[in-house]
Amino acid sequence: MRGGVREHPKAFAPATLILILLLSIAGAIIGLQLLVSLGVTPNTSLVGALTAIILARIPFGLFRPYRSIHVQNLAQSAISAATFGAANSLLLPIGVPYVLGRNDLIVPMFGGVRHAAGRLLAVSHVRHTCFSS
């Protein structure tokens, strides 16, 4: 707390980082599974916010940071980005040529997928820098 103003929570705080990593892994798995089985990507941001809210209600010191609306927003953004990133940016560009029978395009699409993964990391870095989280 500086000068009576609460400091904005950091994404790299241990409790927040653990929550974000677990939600991101779960979001990627959910996104890939639903895209492969149903052909749609879900809006999982609600899952992230609800997870943080539910964990905040547990009377344990480790879960206290999850009471912050900012941490809940980070959790919501992380699971949503992981879901859409894994499904739309990584699986879809490889799956479409395969389904269309153009197996010769799968290897070149890996270059595009690598580029997309790099862009996801770059956008995450810019977001982290801009919002100091």
Side-chain angles (χ1 to χ4, degrees):
M1 192 177 230
R2 290 181 296 193
V5 177
R6 288 179 119 179
E7 195 170 313
H8 194 277
K10 304 292 182 194
F12 291 115
T16 306
L17 185 62
I18 290 169
L19 176 69
I20 287 174
L21 287 176
L22 291 175
L23 286 174
S24 295
I25 291 168
I29 292 169
I30 291 168
L32 290 174
Q33 179 62 32
L34 286 175
L35 182 64
V36 169
S37 61
L38 300 175
V40 297
T41 54
N43 185 359
T44 53
S45 60
L46 184 61
V47 173
L50 287 176
T51 301
I53 290 169
I54 290 168
L55 289 175
R57 302 291 177 228
I58 298 174
F60 186 61
L62 179 68
F63 300 133
R64 186 169 293 124
Y66 303 153
R67 292 180 184 165
S68 168
I69 189 77
H70 302 294
V71 173
Q72 293 170 10
N73 192 17
L74 283 170
Q76 179 178 345
S77 298
I79 191 169
S80 183
T83 301
F84 286 106
N88 293 341
S89 297
L90 302 176
L91 181 65
L92 203 56
I94 295 171
V96 170
Y98 178 78
V99 169
L100 295 176
R102 295 291 311 266
N103 294 339
D104 58 316
L105 294 178
I106 292 176
V107 174
M109 289 299 274
F110 275 115
V113 168
R114 182 171 176 230
H115 178 69
R119 289 182 58 90
L120 280 171
L121 291 175
V123 167
S124 298
H125 174 69
V126 168
R127 187 180 314 131
H128 170 73
T129 304
C130 289
F131 298 111
S132 299
S133 58

